[in-house]
Amino acid sequence: MNELLGHVLEAHGGLERWRRYNKVEATIVTGGGFFPLKGVLQDRNPRRMTVWLHEERSSVTPYGASDQRTMFTPDRVTIEKLDGTVVAERYAPRDSFAGHQMHTPWDPLHRAYFNGEAVWTYLTTPFLLTMDGVRVEETEAWREGAENWRVLRAYFPGWMETHCMVQDFFFGEDMMLRRHDYSVNIAGGFPAAQLTSDYIEADGIRLPSKRRAYTRGPDRRPITDMLMVSIDFSEVAFS
């Protein structure tokens, strides 16, 4: 295992502890300017997110109605009633984003896919970097104010649905994730820098409770006057 990744995993709770759990649930509140660009109504109501840790699968409740939820896997995304009755579904959901740009409108299944793959990625970081087919390497350190952040570049396998195939993860001197860079391929590939903060601990696993994603400028710095996506996590529980 990459030496830096080993230190990072230990700081976030340890791989052995992570492997004892099968899923995590969290309350999420989301916002930001990205959703209006997509014609998606975004409110500040809390929702409950469930993420499976060792397979790419996630669900959010409620969605669209109080008795509905989503179910996301790489092959299929659905909106369904709480009893499992399917309201809408889409197979090979990534294909439905072909040709999309920043302002291309979304339907509810597009939104369900984005929520599913994005929050799955966030709630499994950094442990997803040990999954089958993921390759990591340490790249040049990043100077942030008085701090030096070490950077892991991850190359993701084709089976995994995530923002893009190459992503950078920045870690502070305490080995906590400070920033996450990627391109949003399903929206024209615009570059994003996501800042992470306000760490919490849940069942021995440490994770940021606040994530703020901005467009990334040519100097690789986040353009902080354009908040694209905000996510606040609370009531996190691993099981």
Side-chain angles (χ1 to χ4, degrees):
M1 181 183 293
N2 175 283
E3 176 253 348
L4 173 56
L5 179 57
H7 292 312
V8 163
L9 296 176
E10 195 60 35
H12 285 77
L15 189 57
E16 186 175 327
R17 176 181 282 111
W18 176 262
R19 286 172 172 162
R20 291 202 296 263
Y21 299 126
N22 292 314
K23 65 182 180 180
V24 60
E25 295 185 58
T27 296
I28 62 170
V29 176
T30 57
F34 182 59
F35 302 109
L37 292 177
K38 292 299 185 183
V40 173
L41 182 64
Q42 184 65 36
D43 58 51
R44 299 289 293 174
N45 293 333
R47 291 171 171 82
R48 196 68 176 163
M49 188 82 195
T50 303
V51 161
W52 283 256
L53 305 182
H54 308 296
E55 60 177 307
E56 192 167 7
R57 181 181 172 198
S58 62
S59 177
V60 66
T61 306
Y63 189 84
S66 60
D67 64 342
Q68 291 182 178
R69 66 188 176 205
T70 68
M71 188 62 70
F72 161 82
T73 66
D75 299 326
R76 178 175 178 255
V77 62
T78 65
I79 302 167
E80 60 188 34
K81 296 295 184 182
L82 298 182
D83 66 2
T85 303
V86 173
V87 175
E89 67 182 339
R90 179 171 289 152
Y91 288 90
R94 179 166 47 178
D95 294 348
S96 70
F97 294 93
H100 277 217
Q101 299 299 317
M102 179 91 79
H103 293 83
T104 307
W106 277 356
D107 62 28
L109 285 169
H110 288 127
R111 175 74 176 93
Y113 169 95
F114 177 73
N115 182 87
E117 61 90 359
V119 183
W120 179 84
T121 298
Y122 305 152
L123 284 175
T124 58
T125 297
F127 299 95
L128 88 166
L129 301 180
T130 68
M131 294 185 80
D132 286 347
V134 181
R135 182 169 63 86
V136 299
E137 63 182 18
E138 186 170 1
T139 63
E140 184 180 354
W142 176 264
R143 186 73 175 172
E144 185 70 27
E147 297 183 36
N148 276 321
W149 292 353
R150 295 175 70 179
V151 182
L152 273 178
R153 178 162 292 166
Y155 300 87
F156 291 102
W159 64 262
M160 189 180 290
E161 294 296 302
T162 184
H163 294 308
C164 61
M165 293 296 99
V166 182
Q167 303 178 30
D168 288 340
F169 298 83
F170 298 66
F171 300 95
E173 293 171 3
D174 58 358
M175 295 293 126
M176 291 292 105
L177 181 71
R178 294 284 182 265
R179 175 175 152 181
H180 176 198
D181 283 10
Y182 47 86
S183 297
V184 185
N185 283 351
I186 61 173
F190 74 86
Q194 184 178 117
L195 305 181
T196 58
S197 64
D198 293 54
Y199 267 76
I200 57 176
E201 185 170 318
D203 301 299
I205 303 294
R206 299 183 70 192
L207 68 159
S209 66
K210 293 187 183 302
R211 287 178 172 265
R212 300 291 184 267
Y214 305 91
T215 53
R216 190 171 74 244
D219 60 356
R220 291 184 68 197
R221 296 194 175 276
I223 303 171
T224 54
D225 59 355
M226 180 59 169
L227 176 62
M228 296 299 283
V229 175
S230 66
I231 309 178
D232 293 343
F233 295 93
S234 62
E235 301 174 298
V236 180
F238 288 83
S239 60

